[in-house]
Amino acid sequence: KNEVEQSPQNLTAQEGEFITINCSYSVGISALHWLQQHPGGGIVSLFMLSSGKKKHGRLIATINIQEKHSSLHITASHPRDSAVYICAVSPLTGTASKLTFGTGTRLQVTL
Amino acid sequence: GAGVSQSPSNKVTEKGKDVELRCDPISGHTALYWYRQSLGQGLEFLIYFQGNSAPDKSGLPSDRFSAERTGGSVSTLTIQRTQQEDSAVYLCASSLTVGYNEQFFGPGTRLTVL
């Protein structure tokens, strides 16, 4: 079992829909990261959080440390949101900078 | 610089040859990270630097892989005697320092070993 699990693996939504991507992890963490990777493009860090909730534009990230679970929400989705969304965790012990990644959620938003 | 840069963007090499991949981090960032993304697989951590030292080399897949960083800036990832399974996108990232800091990623180097 991977230390970081994401669901769903693939997601298709229509423009305007509310989207939720889930991330569960099995180790103690100091931080959780949400990353975005466009096709053929580089990786952009969306959020880094260790508790509670963060919001940036139409994106919201939440984390529940007790349940070892985080969600990424996209409100009013748009075709330009189509990308792979990756969850990654920084371990609580050992090397905090040694990120462990989920396998990603491929999102396609259609008109 | 404005962001993390990597060179070359693409590298095609023959099995058995050595390759060098370069990463130029954001100016002032003391932490630098190397990751690998293989086709159909997720990202995996290779190595990180704090300044010029690499406290954790456990992610390097084999002793054919090495990395160095000089002057606290540019880093080079070297793969000796390349194998076909080394084909992947190699990504570099930097952050202000290690620990609880956002990482900024470069565009990656796509390595193809024939």
Side-chain angles (χ1 to χ4, degrees):
Chain A
K1 183 172 161 55
N2 292 333
E3 291 182 344
V4 182
E5 299 273 358
Q6 286 186 238
S7 65
Q9 284 188 309
N10 293 280
L11 182 56
T12 300
Q14 285 197 318
E15 183 177 12
E17 283 187 13
F18 180 84
I19 289 163
T20 296
I21 299 170
N22 296 298
C23 176
S24 297
Y25 52 92
S26 57
V27 296
I29 68 169
S30 59
L32 183 142
H33 305 250
W34 281 103
L35 310 171
Q36 180 192 56
Q37 185 172 32
H38 281 283
I43 294 175
V44 174
S45 175
L46 298 175
F47 295 103
M48 181 179 64
L49 66 167
S50 58
S51 66
K53 174 180 173 179
K54 286 191 175 181
K55 185 176 188 291
H56 185 260
R58 295 180 294 107
L59 301 178
I60 303 166
T62 64
I63 188 168
N64 185 317
I65 295 295
Q66 287 73 30
E67 295 186 3
K68 291 187 166 62
H69 181 268
S70 175
S71 293
L72 176 68
H73 305 286
I74 305 175
T75 62
S77 60
H78 189 276
R80 65 175 173 266
D81 298 326
S82 299
V84 176
Y85 293 83
I86 303 167
C87 172
V89 300
S90 300
L92 192 59
T93 57
T95 304
S97 298
K98 186 176 177 180
L99 296 183
T100 300
F101 298 87
T103 53
T105 295
R106 186 175 300 275
L107 170 66
Q108 184 171 0
V109 182
T110 60
L111 293 170
Chain B
V4 178
S5 61
Q6 292 185 244
S7 61
S9 55
N10 281 283
K11 176 72 176 177
V12 179
T13 190
E14 292 179 348
K15 178 181 170 181
K17 295 282 179 70
D18 297 352
V19 295
E20 282 190 356
L21 312 180
R22 176 188 166 108
C23 172
D24 201 341
I26 292 173
S27 177
H29 281 194
T30 64
L32 184 148
Y33 315 83
W34 283 99
Y35 301 99
R36 180 169 74 170
Q37 189 172 35
S38 303
L39 186 62
Q41 297 191 24
L43 282 151
E44 61 175 322
F45 167 88
L46 297 179
I47 190 171
Y48 88 94
F49 290 88
Q50 173 60 38
N52 291 336
S53 65
D56 188 343
K57 301 181 181 180
S58 63
L60 295 176
S62 76
D63 58 9
R64 295 185 295 104
F65 287 72
S66 63
E68 65 175 14
R69 188 181 187 196
T70 55
S73 182
V74 172
S75 175
T76 303
L77 177 69
T78 301
I79 309 173
Q80 295 178 308
R81 305 181 303 281
T82 52
Q83 304 293 313
Q84 288 183 331
E85 61 261 28
D86 299 334
S87 296
V89 176
Y90 290 81
L91 291 151
C92 174
S94 70
S95 65
L96 203 55
T97 185
V98 297
Y100 192 74
N101 280 287
E102 181 182 5
Q103 295 187 20
F104 296 83
F105 286 79
T109 293
R110 182 175 298 277
L111 174 66
T112 303
V113 182
L114 301 176

